[in-house]
Amino acid sequence: MLAVSRLLAVARGALSDAGEAGAREDVGDESARYGPRSGPAVVVWNVCRHCNQRCPHCYIAAGPRPSRGALDTESGKRLLETLARGGVRNVVLSGGEPLLREDLVLLVRHATGLRMNAHLSTNGTLLDSAMARTLAAAGLSYAGVSIDGPREANDATRGMPGGFDRAVEGLLAAREAGIAAGLRMTLTRGSAPHVEELAEIARSLGLDRFYLSHLVYSGRGLGLMPDALPGGETRSVVEGLFRLAERWLDEGAPTRVVTGAGDFDGPCLVLAVRDRHGVAAARRVERMLAARGGNPAGEGVLAVDPRGRVYPDPFWRTAPLGNLARQSLAEILAHPLARELARREELLTGRCGACVFKPLCRGAHRARAEAATGERWGPDPACTLTDEEIAAHANPLELMPAGSAR
């Protein structure tokens, strides 16, 4: 994830680029509670594959009924213990719809008892006040609720009449229970016109975060690839969010802007800061992005499916690394693909291989590249940087002078 608001605060000198770790890792702001650990910072565990909605961009292609083979409660607890032994700091319980699991509270309580921060990724429609209070008592740190437009658009997209209102009620219930909460949406051609409107809804609700996720061609999202939003339109939406985040900083609004699944947003932010605040401010952001290290799939982030199978990230289901029901985390991280991901900058081809911003982005999303080009190390087709921008200078840690070709 790219912590846009925090990076802008660094650019403006409100935060130290040397000491503001939150801009490098922004997972419910609880990532450093127990100090450093040796394993991946974040593991997303899809605890089930069934859901009460049917979104066209669902990366796990969730269905209406539970899938066979999902880990039961005791197996799930053992999986969490394996993660804790491996040094994992944050576990995101996702789905499908994780609140359809009757033992979800037990899993949250077990994770927090193992000194991990537990987060929830949900559509919010089952997150009522009683459940929110129970999850808060179990130690849940953060609840991210997915909404894809204003009322009518969201309900049509997600196939649930009344889903928008129930999701908003879920967000408010989380906040009232003392759980940090954020509104998450996926950027598609259909949702693009509603981005700033949803962001303002997040602010009006007093949420901690507005999170825009770029579409990844995985699961049912593969069906949206032919109608993907062009790079120029995506760039316009994201730059609009940069401006909105800066305005919120000026106004002292507590809601932060975050983007995900589009690491090319980082270089775009550097360029936007340079144009608005000058080279020195842009260099501060660039240093933070270099420290963040670009796309973390297979290193700082892992994903686990309902059966315990491990992947480099939640979207990349064609690249299994192992199974936590049978292997240790160390064995999984020794997989040849995990080792290749550690040196991915050497393997990238096409525009990604030639890009001067490669250290800040590291090729963005490999699942998107693989789906579009058939090549694991090929260029990410969603990149919004122009050919001129990625070839504008020889040293990736030197900025173009203001006024250069954009």
Side-chain angles (χ1 to χ4, degrees):
M1 290 186 291
L2 187 74
V4 171
S5 296
R6 289 190 165 184
L7 287 163
L8 284 169
V10 167
R12 292 150 56 108
L15 293 172
S16 164
D17 60 336
E20 180 45 45
R24 303 174 195 176
E25 180 182 303
D26 190 346
V27 187
D29 288 344
E30 295 290 331
S31 56
R33 186 198 300 175
Y34 300 116
R37 294 195 182 186
S38 57
V42 181
V43 169
V44 179
W45 177 20
N46 297 97
V47 297
C48 65
R49 195 174 176 175
H50 57 301
C51 187
N52 57 347
Q53 297 185 337
R54 189 171 175 83
C55 305
H57 53 271
C58 179
Y59 66 82
I60 203 172
R65 292 178 295 278
S67 58
R68 295 180 179 179
L71 299 178
D72 62 18
T73 303
E74 292 308 311
S75 297
K77 287 181 177 180
R78 287 194 294 272
L79 184 146
L80 290 169
E81 290 160 8
T82 299
L83 295 180
R85 284 194 300 271
V88 173
R89 288 169 283 172
N90 302 277
V91 60
V92 180
L93 303 172
S94 186
E97 174 44 57
L99 285 166
L100 288 172
R101 275 196 68 138
E102 295 180 356
D103 61 353
L104 183 69
V105 174
L106 295 177
L107 296 175
V108 170
R109 186 177 295 118
H110 198 66
T112 57
L114 293 166
R115 292 168 56 86
M116 290 189 291
N117 305 307
H119 313 275
L120 181 67
S121 180
T122 173
N123 63 40
T125 61
L126 302 176
L127 187 59
D128 59 19
S129 295
M131 175 56 71
R133 289 192 297 270
T134 302
L135 288 168
L140 188 74
S141 298
Y142 179 82
V145 174
S146 296
I147 299 176
D148 285 304
R151 184 174 287 103
E152 293 79 9
N154 176 79
D155 295 356
T157 298
R158 293 182 159 261
M160 175 183 279
F164 176 88
D165 291 332
R166 290 170 63 180
V168 169
E169 290 169 5
L171 283 163
L172 293 174
R175 293 286 291 146
E176 290 166 3
I179 300 169
L183 190 160
R184 172 178 178 151
M185 72 177 299
T186 299
L187 181 62
T188 65
R189 185 178 293 277
S191 68
H194 309 302
V195 170
E196 292 202 17
E197 181 179 359
L198 276 190
E200 292 292 358
I201 288 173
R203 176 183 174 173
S204 71
L205 294 174
L207 303 183
D208 299 274
R209 179 191 295 166
F210 173 74
Y211 179 10
L212 181 73
S213 178
H214 291 269
L215 174 69
V216 182
Y217 313 139
S218 179
R220 283 199 291 273
L222 280 167
L224 298 179
M225 184 165 55
D227 196 36
L229 199 66
E233 293 182 34
T234 299
R235 179 79 169 261
S236 178
V237 170
V238 171
E239 288 184 340
L241 266 187
F242 294 165
R243 293 189 292 272
L244 182 68
E246 190 145 21
R247 176 163 60 82
W248 286 356
L249 287 173
D250 290 337
E251 296 170 355
T255 307
R256 301 186 310 277
V257 171
V258 177
T259 69
D263 299 273
F264 38 78
D265 286 349
C268 291
L269 181 61
V270 171
L271 296 173
V273 167
R274 181 209 61 194
D275 290 347
R276 187 176 177 101
H277 298 290
V279 169
R283 285 189 189 282
R284 289 196 289 269
V285 175
E286 200 170 36
R287 283 195 295 270
M288 292 303 297
L289 290 174
R292 174 181 177 268
N295 186 277
E299 299 173 277
V301 172
L302 290 175
V304 183
D305 77 3
R307 297 185 178 189
R309 294 173 294 197
V310 181
Y311 305 89
D313 68 34
F315 304 95
W316 200 4
R317 300 289 162 147
T318 61
L321 299 176
N323 193 315
L324 275 174
R326 300 190 297 270
Q327 296 173 275
S328 70
L329 191 57
E331 288 176 302
I332 287 168
L333 291 173
H335 188 283
L337 176 56
R339 293 178 176 177
E340 288 182 349
L341 285 166
R343 60 183 189 91
R344 72 188 77 185
E345 290 180 43
E346 305 167 21
L347 303 175
L348 294 169
T349 64
R351 294 180 82 250
C352 287
C355 180
V356 294
F357 289 111
K358 188 164 51 175
L360 307 186
C361 173
R362 300 178 80 213
H365 220 292
R366 298 296 88 213
R368 206 160 36 216
E370 191 174 75
T373 70
E375 298 290 335
R376 175 168 288 173
W377 306 112
D380 185 336
C383 178
T384 59
L385 293 158
T386 67
D387 290 343
E388 293 78 12
E389 287 168 339
I390 69 170
H393 49 84
N395 185 336
L397 294 183
E398 289 292 329
L399 290 167
M400 294 186 298
S404 294
R406 289 294 310 279

